[in-house]
PDB file of all heavy atoms in Angstrom:
ATOM      1  N   LEU A 991      -2.078 -10.785 -15.156  1.00  0.00           N
ATOM      2  CA  LEU A 991      -3.285 -10.246 -15.742  1.00  0.00           C
ATOM      3  C   LEU A 991      -3.622 -11.030 -16.999  1.00  0.00           C
ATOM      4  O   LEU A 991      -2.854 -10.818 -17.983  1.00  0.00           O
ATOM      5  CB  LEU A 991      -3.180  -8.744 -15.983  1.00  0.00           C
ATOM      6  CG  LEU A 991      -4.339  -8.077 -16.644  1.00  0.00           C
ATOM      7  CD1 LEU A 991      -5.608  -8.183 -15.830  1.00  0.00           C
ATOM      8  CD2 LEU A 991      -4.060  -6.601 -16.906  1.00  0.00           C
ATOM      9  N   ARG A 992      -4.598 -11.808 -17.014  1.00  0.00           N
ATOM     10  CA  ARG A 992      -5.030 -12.633 -18.241  1.00  0.00           C
ATOM     11  C   ARG A 992      -5.810 -11.669 -19.144  1.00  0.00           C
ATOM     12  O   ARG A 992      -6.936 -11.373 -18.816  1.00  0.00           O
ATOM     13  CB  ARG A 992      -5.783 -13.841 -17.905  1.00  0.00           C
ATOM     14  CG  ARG A 992      -6.041 -14.673 -19.149  1.00  0.00           C
ATOM     15  CD  ARG A 992      -6.886 -15.947 -18.815  1.00  0.00           C
ATOM     16  NE  ARG A 992      -5.982 -16.952 -18.239  1.00  0.00           N
ATOM     17  CZ  ARG A 992      -6.213 -17.430 -16.981  1.00  0.00           C
ATOM     18  NH1 ARG A 992      -7.166 -16.982 -16.223  1.00  0.00           N
ATOM     19  NH2 ARG A 992      -5.358 -18.363 -16.569  1.00  0.00           N
ATOM     20  N   LEU A 993      -5.269 -11.423 -20.326  1.00  0.00           N
ATOM     21  CA  LEU A 993      -5.942 -10.543 -21.270  1.00  0.00           C
ATOM     22  C   LEU A 993      -6.769 -11.397 -22.241  1.00  0.00           C
ATOM     23  O   LEU A 993      -7.780 -10.930 -22.810  1.00  0.00           O
ATOM     24  CB  LEU A 993      -4.989  -9.666 -22.067  1.00  0.00           C
ATOM     25  CG  LEU A 993      -4.074  -8.772 -21.199  1.00  0.00           C
ATOM     26  CD1 LEU A 993      -3.032  -8.069 -22.117  1.00  0.00           C
ATOM     27  CD2 LEU A 993      -4.893  -7.822 -20.388  1.00  0.00           C
ATOM     28  N   ALA A 994      -6.277 -12.607 -22.468  1.00  0.00           N
ATOM     29  CA  ALA A 994      -6.905 -13.539 -23.400  1.00  0.00           C
ATOM     30  C   ALA A 994      -6.224 -14.938 -23.233  1.00  0.00           C
ATOM     31  O   ALA A 994      -5.200 -14.955 -22.466  1.00  0.00           O
ATOM     32  CB  ALA A 994      -6.797 -13.120 -24.834  1.00  0.00           C
ATOM     33  N   LEU A 999       0.018 -10.785 -19.033  1.00  0.00           N
ATOM     34  CA  LEU A 999       1.003  -9.722 -18.730  1.00  0.00           C
ATOM     35  C   LEU A 999       1.136  -9.503 -17.295  1.00  0.00           C
ATOM     36  O   LEU A 999       0.160  -9.954 -16.513  1.00  0.00           O
ATOM     37  CB  LEU A 999       0.568  -8.370 -19.454  1.00  0.00           C
ATOM     38  CG  LEU A 999       0.568  -8.470 -21.036  1.00  0.00           C
ATOM     39  CD1 LEU A 999       0.341  -7.111 -21.557  1.00  0.00           C
ATOM     40  CD2 LEU A 999       1.869  -8.997 -21.603  1.00  0.00           C
ATOM     41  N   PRO A1001       1.496  -6.185 -15.376  1.00  0.00           N
ATOM     42  CA  PRO A1001       1.633  -4.750 -15.224  1.00  0.00           C
ATOM     43  C   PRO A1001       2.242  -4.358 -13.892  1.00  0.00           C
ATOM     44  O   PRO A1001       2.120  -5.131 -12.942  1.00  0.00           O
ATOM     45  CB  PRO A1001       0.162  -4.183 -15.276  1.00  0.00           C
ATOM     46  CG  PRO A1001      -0.673  -5.321 -15.808  1.00  0.00           C
ATOM     47  CD  PRO A1001       0.097  -6.537 -15.422  1.00  0.00           C
ATOM     48  N   ILE A1003       1.060  -2.149 -11.820  1.00  0.00           N
ATOM     49  CA  ILE A1003      -0.125  -2.060 -10.868  1.00  0.00           C
ATOM     50  C   ILE A1003      -1.391  -2.339 -11.631  1.00  0.00           C
ATOM     51  O   ILE A1003      -1.597  -1.938 -12.780  1.00  0.00           O
ATOM     52  CB  ILE A1003      -0.204  -0.632 -10.289  1.00  0.00           C
ATOM     53  CG1 ILE A1003       1.081  -0.251  -9.586  1.00  0.00           C
ATOM     54  CG2 ILE A1003      -1.387  -0.576  -9.310  1.00  0.00           C
ATOM     55  CD1 ILE A1003       1.133   1.285  -9.258  1.00  0.00           C
ATOM     56  N   VAL A1004      -2.317  -3.093 -10.997  1.00  0.00           N
ATOM     57  CA  VAL A1004      -3.650  -3.317 -11.464  1.00  0.00           C
ATOM     58  C   VAL A1004      -4.572  -2.986 -10.377  1.00  0.00           C
ATOM     59  O   VAL A1004      -4.415  -3.413  -9.253  1.00  0.00           O
ATOM     60  CB  VAL A1004      -3.871  -4.849 -11.899  1.00  0.00           C
ATOM     61  CG1 VAL A1004      -5.307  -5.043 -12.286  1.00  0.00           C
ATOM     62  CG2 VAL A1004      -2.902  -5.216 -13.004  1.00  0.00           C
ATOM     63  N   VAL A1005      -5.572  -2.158 -10.692  1.00  0.00           N
ATOM     64  CA  VAL A1005      -6.684  -1.943  -9.742  1.00  0.00           C
ATOM     65  C   VAL A1005      -7.840  -2.705 -10.320  1.00  0.00           C
ATOM     66  O   VAL A1005      -8.221  -2.531 -11.483  1.00  0.00           O
ATOM     67  CB  VAL A1005      -7.029  -0.460  -9.676  1.00  0.00           C
ATOM     68  CG1 VAL A1005      -8.198  -0.196  -8.667  1.00  0.00           C
ATOM     69  CG2 VAL A1005      -5.799   0.353  -9.153  1.00  0.00           C
ATOM     70  N   ALA A1006      -8.434  -3.650  -9.500  1.00  0.00           N
ATOM     71  CA  ALA A1006      -9.393  -4.604 -10.018  1.00  0.00           C
ATOM     72  C   ALA A1006     -10.534  -4.808  -9.084  1.00  0.00           C
ATOM     73  O   ALA A1006     -10.458  -4.652  -7.853  1.00  0.00           O
ATOM     74  CB  ALA A1006      -8.692  -5.903 -10.343  1.00  0.00           C
ATOM     75  N   VAL A1015      -5.554 -12.168 -12.321  1.00  0.00           N
ATOM     76  CA  VAL A1015      -6.623 -11.282 -12.460  1.00  0.00           C
ATOM     77  C   VAL A1015      -7.168 -11.471 -13.866  1.00  0.00           C
ATOM     78  O   VAL A1015      -6.297 -11.466 -14.803  1.00  0.00           O
ATOM     79  CB  VAL A1015      -6.315  -9.798 -12.114  1.00  0.00           C
ATOM     80  CG1 VAL A1015      -7.413  -8.921 -12.461  1.00  0.00           C
ATOM     81  CG2 VAL A1015      -5.875  -9.715 -10.677  1.00  0.00           C
ATOM     82  N   GLU A1016      -8.393 -11.499 -14.027  1.00  0.00           N
ATOM     83  CA  GLU A1016      -8.982 -11.548 -15.411  1.00  0.00           C
ATOM     84  C   GLU A1016      -9.153 -10.109 -15.960  1.00  0.00           C
ATOM     85  O   GLU A1016      -9.472  -9.208 -15.143  1.00  0.00           O
ATOM     86  CB  GLU A1016     -10.330 -12.202 -15.422  1.00  0.00           C
ATOM     87  CG  GLU A1016     -10.238 -13.696 -14.957  1.00  0.00           C
ATOM     88  CD  GLU A1016      -9.372 -14.630 -15.855  1.00  0.00           C
ATOM     89  OE1 GLU A1016      -9.262 -14.364 -17.036  1.00  0.00           O
ATOM     90  OE2 GLU A1016      -8.793 -15.543 -15.247  1.00  0.00           O
ATOM     91  N   ALA A1017      -9.001  -9.914 -17.279  1.00  0.00           N
ATOM     92  CA  ALA A1017      -9.175  -8.626 -17.885  1.00  0.00           C
ATOM     93  C   ALA A1017     -10.445  -7.960 -17.472  1.00  0.00           C
ATOM     94  O   ALA A1017     -10.482  -6.753 -17.294  1.00  0.00           O
ATOM     95  CB  ALA A1017      -9.003  -8.683 -19.375  1.00  0.00           C
ATOM     96  N   ALA A1018     -11.547  -8.676 -17.452  1.00  0.00           N
ATOM     97  CA  ALA A1018     -12.911  -8.176 -17.156  1.00  0.00           C
ATOM     98  C   ALA A1018     -12.964  -7.596 -15.730  1.00  0.00           C
ATOM     99  O   ALA A1018     -13.827  -6.787 -15.438  1.00  0.00           O
ATOM    100  CB  ALA A1018     -13.927  -9.272 -17.368  1.00  0.00           C
ATOM    101  N   GLU A1019     -12.074  -8.039 -14.860  1.00  0.00           N
ATOM    102  CA  GLU A1019     -12.020  -7.530 -13.456  1.00  0.00           C
ATOM    103  C   GLU A1019     -11.140  -6.235 -13.373  1.00  0.00           C
ATOM    104  O   GLU A1019     -11.338  -5.540 -12.419  1.00  0.00           O
ATOM    105  CB  GLU A1019     -11.432  -8.626 -12.485  1.00  0.00           C
ATOM    106  CG  GLU A1019     -12.216  -9.857 -12.465  1.00  0.00           C
ATOM    107  CD  GLU A1019     -11.395 -10.953 -11.681  1.00  0.00           C
ATOM    108  OE1 GLU A1019     -10.211 -11.179 -11.938  1.00  0.00           O
ATOM    109  OE2 GLU A1019     -12.107 -11.565 -10.835  1.00  0.00           O
ATOM    110  N   ALA A1020     -10.283  -5.996 -14.294  1.00  0.00           N
ATOM    111  CA  ALA A1020      -9.358  -4.870 -14.246  1.00  0.00           C
ATOM    112  C   ALA A1020     -10.105  -3.551 -14.522  1.00  0.00           C
ATOM    113  O   ALA A1020     -10.734  -3.434 -15.559  1.00  0.00           O
ATOM    114  CB  ALA A1020      -8.195  -5.024 -15.244  1.00  0.00           C
ATOM    115  N   VAL A1021      -9.929  -2.643 -13.690  1.00  0.00           N
ATOM    116  CA  VAL A1021     -10.538  -1.300 -13.762  1.00  0.00           C
ATOM    117  C   VAL A1021      -9.483  -0.291 -14.357  1.00  0.00           C
ATOM    118  O   VAL A1021      -9.789   0.521 -15.119  1.00  0.00           O
ATOM    119  CB  VAL A1021     -11.074  -0.834 -12.403  1.00  0.00           C
ATOM    120  CG1 VAL A1021     -11.661   0.564 -12.524  1.00  0.00           C
ATOM    121  CG2 VAL A1021     -12.191  -1.780 -11.905  1.00  0.00           C
ATOM    122  N   LEU A1022      -8.319  -0.372 -13.844  1.00  0.00           N
ATOM    123  CA  LEU A1022      -7.195   0.473 -14.222  1.00  0.00           C
ATOM    124  C   LEU A1022      -5.899  -0.342 -14.245  1.00  0.00           C
ATOM    125  O   LEU A1022      -5.613  -1.179 -13.307  1.00  0.00           O
ATOM    126  CB  LEU A1022      -7.048   1.597 -13.170  1.00  0.00           C
ATOM    127  CG  LEU A1022      -5.809   2.507 -13.291  1.00  0.00           C
ATOM    128  CD1 LEU A1022      -5.868   3.465 -14.549  1.00  0.00           C
ATOM    129  CD2 LEU A1022      -5.716   3.373 -12.042  1.00  0.00           C
ATOM    130  N   VAL A1023      -5.060  -0.191 -15.319  1.00  0.00           N
ATOM    131  CA  VAL A1023      -3.774  -0.777 -15.385  1.00  0.00           C
ATOM    132  C   VAL A1023      -2.760   0.353 -15.423  1.00  0.00           C
ATOM    133  O   VAL A1023      -2.938   1.362 -16.124  1.00  0.00           O
ATOM    134  CB  VAL A1023      -3.663  -1.610 -16.733  1.00  0.00           C
ATOM    135  CG1 VAL A1023      -2.292  -2.147 -16.857  1.00  0.00           C
ATOM    136  CG2 VAL A1023      -4.710  -2.779 -16.662  1.00  0.00           C
ATOM    137  N   VAL A1024      -1.688   0.080 -14.664  1.00  0.00           N
ATOM    138  CA  VAL A1024      -0.615   1.127 -14.556  1.00  0.00           C
ATOM    139  C   VAL A1024       0.678   0.537 -15.007  1.00  0.00           C
ATOM    140  O   VAL A1024       1.105  -0.566 -14.555  1.00  0.00           O
ATOM    141  CB  VAL A1024      -0.475   1.656 -13.144  1.00  0.00           C
ATOM    142  CG1 VAL A1024       0.647   2.714 -13.027  1.00  0.00           C
ATOM    143  CG2 VAL A1024      -1.788   2.220 -12.613  1.00  0.00           C
ATOM    144  N   LYS A1039       1.974  -2.715 -24.998  1.00  0.00           N
ATOM    145  CA  LYS A1039       1.063  -3.104 -23.883  1.00  0.00           C
ATOM    146  C   LYS A1039      -0.275  -2.339 -23.978  1.00  0.00           C
ATOM    147  O   LYS A1039      -1.309  -2.977 -23.739  1.00  0.00           O
ATOM    148  CB  LYS A1039       1.776  -2.937 -22.563  1.00  0.00           C
ATOM    149  CG  LYS A1039       2.780  -4.020 -22.258  1.00  0.00           C
ATOM    150  CD  LYS A1039       3.261  -3.973 -20.866  1.00  0.00           C
ATOM    151  CE  LYS A1039       4.089  -5.172 -20.520  1.00  0.00           C
ATOM    152  NZ  LYS A1039       4.560  -5.181 -19.116  1.00  0.00           N
ATOM    153  N   PRO A1040      -0.259  -1.061 -24.266  1.00  0.00           N
ATOM    154  CA  PRO A1040      -1.567  -0.404 -24.336  1.00  0.00           C
ATOM    155  C   PRO A1040      -2.482  -0.977 -25.423  1.00  0.00           C
ATOM    156  O   PRO A1040      -3.698  -1.078 -25.240  1.00  0.00           O
ATOM    157  CB  PRO A1040      -1.206   1.064 -24.683  1.00  0.00           C
ATOM    158  CG  PRO A1040       0.157   1.262 -24.188  1.00  0.00           C
ATOM    159  CD  PRO A1040       0.836  -0.111 -24.354  1.00  0.00           C
ATOM    160  N   GLN A1041      -1.912  -1.386 -26.589  1.00  0.00           N
ATOM    161  CA  GLN A1041      -2.746  -2.075 -27.599  1.00  0.00           C
ATOM    162  C   GLN A1041      -3.285  -3.347 -27.053  1.00  0.00           C
ATOM    163  O   GLN A1041      -4.448  -3.654 -27.323  1.00  0.00           O
ATOM    164  CB  GLN A1041      -1.859  -2.302 -28.765  1.00  0.00           C
ATOM    165  CG  GLN A1041      -1.444  -1.097 -29.558  1.00  0.00           C
ATOM    166  CD  GLN A1041      -0.580  -1.414 -30.775  1.00  0.00           C
ATOM    167  OE1 GLN A1041      -0.306  -2.568 -31.068  1.00  0.00           O
ATOM    168  NE2 GLN A1041      -0.070  -0.352 -31.450  1.00  0.00           N
ATOM    169  N   LEU A1042      -2.518  -4.156 -26.293  1.00  0.00           N
ATOM    170  CA  LEU A1042      -3.023  -5.356 -25.770  1.00  0.00           C
ATOM    171  C   LEU A1042      -4.090  -5.139 -24.699  1.00  0.00           C
ATOM    172  O   LEU A1042      -5.127  -5.866 -24.617  1.00  0.00           O
ATOM    173  CB  LEU A1042      -1.864  -6.233 -25.173  1.00  0.00           C
ATOM    174  CG  LEU A1042      -0.824  -6.766 -26.253  1.00  0.00           C
ATOM    175  CD1 LEU A1042       0.344  -7.371 -25.523  1.00  0.00           C
ATOM    176  CD2 LEU A1042      -1.456  -7.658 -27.232  1.00  0.00           C
ATOM    177  N   TYR A1043      -3.917  -4.111 -23.869  1.00  0.00           N
ATOM    178  CA  TYR A1043      -4.883  -3.823 -22.814  1.00  0.00           C
ATOM    179  C   TYR A1043      -6.179  -3.296 -23.438  1.00  0.00           C
ATOM    180  O   TYR A1043      -7.272  -3.678 -23.019  1.00  0.00           O
ATOM    181  CB  TYR A1043      -4.365  -2.731 -21.849  1.00  0.00           C
ATOM    182  CG  TYR A1043      -3.146  -3.147 -21.009  1.00  0.00           C
ATOM    183  CD1 TYR A1043      -2.106  -2.250 -20.744  1.00  0.00           C
ATOM    184  CD2 TYR A1043      -3.009  -4.463 -20.540  1.00  0.00           C
ATOM    185  CE1 TYR A1043      -0.997  -2.618 -20.018  1.00  0.00           C
ATOM    186  CE2 TYR A1043      -1.963  -4.832 -19.853  1.00  0.00           C
ATOM    187  CZ  TYR A1043      -0.950  -3.917 -19.531  1.00  0.00           C
ATOM    188  OH  TYR A1043       0.127  -4.323 -18.768  1.00  0.00           O
ATOM    189  N   ALA A1044      -6.081  -2.518 -24.521  1.00  0.00           N
ATOM    190  CA  ALA A1044      -7.206  -1.969 -25.188  1.00  0.00           C
ATOM    191  C   ALA A1044      -8.033  -3.172 -25.845  1.00  0.00           C
ATOM    192  O   ALA A1044      -9.206  -3.238 -25.818  1.00  0.00           O
ATOM    193  CB  ALA A1044      -6.828  -0.926 -26.214  1.00  0.00           C
ATOM    194  N   ALA A1045      -7.244  -4.091 -26.494  1.00  0.00           N
ATOM    195  CA  ALA A1045      -7.945  -5.243 -27.148  1.00  0.00           C
ATOM    196  C   ALA A1045      -8.629  -6.093 -26.139  1.00  0.00           C
ATOM    197  O   ALA A1045      -9.681  -6.719 -26.473  1.00  0.00           O
ATOM    198  CB  ALA A1045      -6.884  -6.072 -27.913  1.00  0.00           C
ATOM    199  N   ALA A1046      -8.219  -6.093 -24.928  1.00  0.00           N
ATOM    200  CA  ALA A1046      -8.869  -6.874 -23.825  1.00  0.00           C
ATOM    201  C   ALA A1046     -10.003  -6.065 -23.200  1.00  0.00           C
ATOM    202  O   ALA A1046     -10.672  -6.649 -22.368  1.00  0.00           O
ATOM    203  CB  ALA A1046      -7.833  -7.231 -22.722  1.00  0.00           C
ATOM    204  N   GLY A1047     -10.167  -4.838 -23.641  1.00  0.00           N
ATOM    205  CA  GLY A1047     -11.355  -4.055 -23.156  1.00  0.00           C
ATOM    206  C   GLY A1047     -11.143  -3.369 -21.779  1.00  0.00           C
ATOM    207  O   GLY A1047     -12.152  -3.061 -21.072  1.00  0.00           O
ATOM    208  N   ILE A1048      -9.899  -3.211 -21.341  1.00  0.00           N
ATOM    209  CA  ILE A1048      -9.691  -2.624 -20.041  1.00  0.00           C
ATOM    210  C   ILE A1048      -9.869  -1.066 -20.234  1.00  0.00           C
ATOM    211  O   ILE A1048      -9.242  -0.406 -21.034  1.00  0.00           O
ATOM    212  CB  ILE A1048      -8.253  -2.928 -19.554  1.00  0.00           C
ATOM    213  CG1 ILE A1048      -8.149  -4.442 -19.311  1.00  0.00           C
ATOM    214  CG2 ILE A1048      -7.939  -2.146 -18.267  1.00  0.00           C
ATOM    215  CD1 ILE A1048      -6.820  -4.977 -18.945  1.00  0.00           C
ATOM    216  N   GLY A1049     -10.796  -0.554 -19.361  1.00  0.00           N
ATOM    217  CA  GLY A1049     -11.232   0.824 -19.598  1.00  0.00           C
ATOM    218  C   GLY A1049     -10.217   1.939 -19.372  1.00  0.00           C
ATOM    219  O   GLY A1049     -10.386   3.010 -20.004  1.00  0.00           O
ATOM    220  N   TRP A1050      -9.229   1.783 -18.485  1.00  0.00           N
ATOM    221  CA  TRP A1050      -8.333   2.890 -18.171  1.00  0.00           C
ATOM    222  C   TRP A1050      -6.948   2.331 -18.092  1.00  0.00           C
ATOM    223  O   TRP A1050      -6.638   1.305 -17.601  1.00  0.00           O
ATOM    224  CB  TRP A1050      -8.724   3.476 -16.833  1.00  0.00           C
ATOM    225  CG  TRP A1050     -10.065   4.089 -16.863  1.00  0.00           C
ATOM    226  CD1 TRP A1050     -11.279   3.470 -16.700  1.00  0.00           C
ATOM    227  CD2 TRP A1050     -10.369   5.459 -17.089  1.00  0.00           C
ATOM    228  NE1 TRP A1050     -12.307   4.354 -16.795  1.00  0.00           N
ATOM    229  CE2 TRP A1050     -11.836   5.564 -17.047  1.00  0.00           C
ATOM    230  CE3 TRP A1050      -9.596   6.576 -17.381  1.00  0.00           C
ATOM    231  CZ2 TRP A1050     -12.447   6.795 -17.173  1.00  0.00           C
ATOM    232  CZ3 TRP A1050     -10.238   7.814 -17.531  1.00  0.00           C
ATOM    233  CH2 TRP A1050     -11.633   7.854 -17.488  1.00  0.00           C
ATOM    234  N   TYR A1051      -6.007   3.232 -18.644  1.00  0.00           N
ATOM    235  CA  TYR A1051      -4.546   2.951 -18.694  1.00  0.00           C
ATOM    236  C   TYR A1051      -3.842   4.187 -18.137  1.00  0.00           C
ATOM    237  O   TYR A1051      -4.070   5.289 -18.577  1.00  0.00           O
ATOM    238  CB  TYR A1051      -4.104   2.554 -20.070  1.00  0.00           C
ATOM    239  CG  TYR A1051      -2.669   2.421 -20.192  1.00  0.00           C
ATOM    240  CD1 TYR A1051      -2.051   1.246 -19.653  1.00  0.00           C
ATOM    241  CD2 TYR A1051      -1.899   3.247 -20.977  1.00  0.00           C
ATOM    242  CE1 TYR A1051      -0.718   1.047 -19.804  1.00  0.00           C
ATOM    243  CE2 TYR A1051      -0.517   2.998 -21.170  1.00  0.00           C
ATOM    244  CZ  TYR A1051       0.059   1.845 -20.497  1.00  0.00           C
ATOM    245  OH  TYR A1051       1.447   1.714 -20.708  1.00  0.00           O
ATOM    246  N   LEU A1052      -2.978   3.985 -17.194  1.00  0.00           N
ATOM    247  CA  LEU A1052      -2.182   5.112 -16.629  1.00  0.00           C
ATOM    248  C   LEU A1052      -0.699   4.747 -16.915  1.00  0.00           C
ATOM    249  O   LEU A1052      -0.185   3.815 -16.398  1.00  0.00           O
ATOM    250  CB  LEU A1052      -2.454   5.216 -15.088  1.00  0.00           C
ATOM    251  CG  LEU A1052      -1.597   6.296 -14.376  1.00  0.00           C
ATOM    252  CD1 LEU A1052      -1.903   7.720 -15.018  1.00  0.00           C
ATOM    253  CD2 LEU A1052      -1.863   6.345 -12.901  1.00  0.00           C
ATOM    254  N   GLN A1066      -5.193   7.658 -19.534  1.00  0.00           N
ATOM    255  CA  GLN A1066      -5.861   7.382 -20.903  1.00  0.00           C
ATOM    256  C   GLN A1066      -7.137   6.508 -20.680  1.00  0.00           C
ATOM    257  O   GLN A1066      -7.114   5.712 -19.877  1.00  0.00           O
ATOM    258  CB  GLN A1066      -4.897   6.730 -21.841  1.00  0.00           C
ATOM    259  CG  GLN A1066      -3.673   7.560 -22.080  1.00  0.00           C
ATOM    260  CD  GLN A1066      -2.649   6.802 -22.949  1.00  0.00           C
ATOM    261  OE1 GLN A1066      -2.859   5.600 -23.291  1.00  0.00           O
ATOM    262  NE2 GLN A1066      -1.576   7.462 -23.233  1.00  0.00           N
ATOM    263  N   ARG A1067      -8.180   6.860 -21.450  1.00  0.00           N
ATOM    264  CA  ARG A1067      -9.397   6.104 -21.408  1.00  0.00           C
ATOM    265  C   ARG A1067      -9.645   5.317 -22.677  1.00  0.00           C
ATOM    266  O   ARG A1067      -9.352   5.773 -23.807  1.00  0.00           O
ATOM    267  CB  ARG A1067     -10.565   7.118 -21.169  1.00  0.00           C
ATOM    268  CG  ARG A1067     -11.895   6.412 -21.175  1.00  0.00           C
ATOM    269  CD  ARG A1067     -13.118   7.430 -21.095  1.00  0.00           C
ATOM    270  NE  ARG A1067     -12.695   8.780 -20.933  1.00  0.00           N
ATOM    271  CZ  ARG A1067     -13.343   9.585 -20.112  1.00  0.00           C
ATOM    272  NH1 ARG A1067     -14.422   9.251 -19.519  1.00  0.00           N
ATOM    273  NH2 ARG A1067     -12.901  10.829 -19.962  1.00  0.00           N
ATOM    274  N   LEU A1068     -10.248   4.151 -22.564  1.00  0.00           N
ATOM    275  CA  LEU A1068     -10.526   3.346 -23.741  1.00  0.00           C
ATOM    276  C   LEU A1068     -11.534   3.966 -24.644  1.00  0.00           C
ATOM    277  O   LEU A1068     -12.608   4.422 -24.115  1.00  0.00           O
ATOM    278  CB  LEU A1068     -10.967   1.938 -23.328  1.00  0.00           C
ATOM    279  CG  LEU A1068     -11.164   0.918 -24.382  1.00  0.00           C
ATOM    280  CD1 LEU A1068      -9.871   0.621 -25.131  1.00  0.00           C
ATOM    281  CD2 LEU A1068     -11.737  -0.368 -23.803  1.00  0.00           C
ATOM    282  N   ALA A1069     -11.298   4.100 -25.879  1.00  0.00           N
ATOM    283  CA  ALA A1069     -12.195   4.651 -26.862  1.00  0.00           C
ATOM    284  C   ALA A1069     -12.207   3.723 -28.072  1.00  0.00           C
ATOM    285  O   ALA A1069     -11.315   3.866 -28.904  1.00  0.00           O
ATOM    286  CB  ALA A1069     -11.808   6.117 -27.281  1.00  0.00           C
ATOM    287  N   GLY A1070     -13.153   2.815 -28.062  1.00  0.00           N
ATOM    288  CA  GLY A1070     -13.201   1.822 -29.144  1.00  0.00           C
ATOM    289  C   GLY A1070     -12.077   0.801 -28.899  1.00  0.00           C
ATOM    290  O   GLY A1070     -12.008   0.085 -27.872  1.00  0.00           O
ATOM    291  N   ASP A1071     -11.121   0.807 -29.861  1.00  0.00           N
ATOM    292  CA  ASP A1071     -10.065  -0.231 -29.806  1.00  0.00           C
ATOM    293  C   ASP A1071      -8.677   0.405 -29.415  1.00  0.00           C
ATOM    294  O   ASP A1071      -7.634  -0.195 -29.618  1.00  0.00           O
ATOM    295  CB  ASP A1071      -9.975  -0.873 -31.136  1.00  0.00           C
ATOM    296  CG  ASP A1071      -9.513   0.051 -32.290  1.00  0.00           C
ATOM    297  OD1 ASP A1071      -9.510   1.266 -32.043  1.00  0.00           O
ATOM    298  OD2 ASP A1071      -9.257  -0.501 -33.381  1.00  0.00           O
ATOM    299  N   HIS A1072      -8.710   1.629 -28.860  1.00  0.00           N
ATOM    300  CA  HIS A1072      -7.468   2.364 -28.527  1.00  0.00           C
ATOM    301  C   HIS A1072      -7.716   3.253 -27.331  1.00  0.00           C
ATOM    302  O   HIS A1072      -8.872   3.473 -27.009  1.00  0.00           O
ATOM    303  CB  HIS A1072      -6.932   3.138 -29.667  1.00  0.00           C
ATOM    304  CG  HIS A1072      -7.773   4.266 -30.087  1.00  0.00           C
ATOM    305  ND1 HIS A1072      -8.936   4.076 -30.871  1.00  0.00           N
ATOM    306  CD2 HIS A1072      -7.750   5.570 -29.850  1.00  0.00           C
ATOM    307  CE1 HIS A1072      -9.520   5.257 -31.079  1.00  0.00           C
ATOM    308  NE2 HIS A1072      -8.871   6.134 -30.460  1.00  0.00           N
ATOM    309  N   TYR A1073      -6.665   3.777 -26.809  1.00  0.00           N
ATOM    310  CA  TYR A1073      -6.771   4.681 -25.631  1.00  0.00           C
ATOM    311  C   TYR A1073      -6.619   6.117 -26.110  1.00  0.00           C
ATOM    312  O   TYR A1073      -5.809   6.408 -27.002  1.00  0.00           O
ATOM    313  CB  TYR A1073      -5.699   4.450 -24.577  1.00  0.00           C
ATOM    314  CG  TYR A1073      -5.913   3.155 -23.835  1.00  0.00           C
ATOM    315  CD1 TYR A1073      -5.213   2.041 -24.059  1.00  0.00           C
ATOM    316  CD2 TYR A1073      -6.964   3.102 -22.865  1.00  0.00           C
ATOM    317  CE1 TYR A1073      -5.454   0.823 -23.428  1.00  0.00           C
ATOM    318  CE2 TYR A1073      -7.236   1.922 -22.161  1.00  0.00           C
ATOM    319  CZ  TYR A1073      -6.492   0.814 -22.426  1.00  0.00           C
ATOM    320  OH  TYR A1073      -6.713  -0.393 -21.812  1.00  0.00           O
ATOM    321  N   GLU A1074      -7.412   7.027 -25.525  1.00  0.00           N
ATOM    322  CA  GLU A1074      -7.290   8.465 -25.779  1.00  0.00           C
ATOM    323  C   GLU A1074      -6.844   9.214 -24.489  1.00  0.00           C
ATOM    324  O   GLU A1074      -7.345   8.845 -23.394  1.00  0.00           O
ATOM    325  CB  GLU A1074      -8.636   9.028 -26.227  1.00  0.00           C
ATOM    326  CG  GLU A1074      -9.070   8.483 -27.617  1.00  0.00           C
ATOM    327  CD  GLU A1074     -10.397   9.151 -28.156  1.00  0.00           C
ATOM    328  OE1 GLU A1074     -11.037   9.768 -27.310  1.00  0.00           O
ATOM    329  OE2 GLU A1074     -10.619   9.001 -29.332  1.00  0.00           O
ATOM    330  N   PRO A1090     -11.613   6.026 -13.153  1.00  0.00           N
ATOM    331  CA  PRO A1090     -12.572   4.970 -12.942  1.00  0.00           C
ATOM    332  C   PRO A1090     -13.065   4.848 -11.457  1.00  0.00           C
ATOM    333  O   PRO A1090     -14.068   4.161 -11.185  1.00  0.00           O
ATOM    334  CB  PRO A1090     -11.863   3.650 -13.368  1.00  0.00           C
ATOM    335  CG  PRO A1090     -10.444   3.956 -13.117  1.00  0.00           C
ATOM    336  CD  PRO A1090     -10.316   5.402 -13.391  1.00  0.00           C
TER     337      PRO A1090
END
Side-chain angles (χ1 to χ4, degrees):
L991 176 61
R992 181 181 286 117
L993 303 178
L999 298 184
I1003 303 169
V1004 175
V1005 180
V1015 172
E1016 300 298 330
E1019 299 172 312
V1021 174
L1022 171 70
V1023 174
V1024 181
K1039 284 189 172 184
Q1041 289 177 6
L1042 295 173
Y1043 297 143
I1048 297 172
W1050 295 85
Y1051 178 67
L1052 179 61
Q1066 301 174 355
R1067 176 185 353 219
L1068 186 63
D1071 63 352
H1072 65 282
Y1073 289 105
E1074 291 184 345

